Amino acid sequence: MLHIIAVCQIRDGGRGQEYYLRKIAEGKTPTEARRALKRRLSNVVYRIMKRDHRTNSPKPLDTQRR
């Protein structure tokens, strides 16, 4: 899935393409640059999943009754 997202971002422009081209300019091969973009995408997805888990996790029940 990340591969398809990376290829589409490289092809269609935007921040993904800018990142890819920056990696190419740094001397990375196209394969290395694509791998770096996929790693960046996976970090973004993971961060979003963690944020969603924090905001959607059930709150503990108050076990002590007053």
Side-chain angles (χ1 to χ4, degrees), residues 12-55:
D12 296 338
R15 290 188 295 182
Q17 186 182 58
E18 292 168 8
Y19 183 80
Y20 175 80
L21 293 175
R22 186 167 62 244
K23 290 297 178 183
I24 296 286
E26 291 173 2
K28 305 269 187 210
T29 66
T31 302
E32 291 170 328
R34 192 169 46 251
R35 185 181 303 125
L37 177 58
K38 287 191 263 187
R39 188 174 304 115
R40 183 177 173 137
L41 289 169
S42 70
N43 290 341
V44 169
V45 169
Y46 180 72
R47 203 173 321 123
I48 291 170
M49 288 173 60
K50 278 184 69 172
R51 185 192 64 208
D52 287 349
H53 179 70
R54 278 194 312 265
T55 60

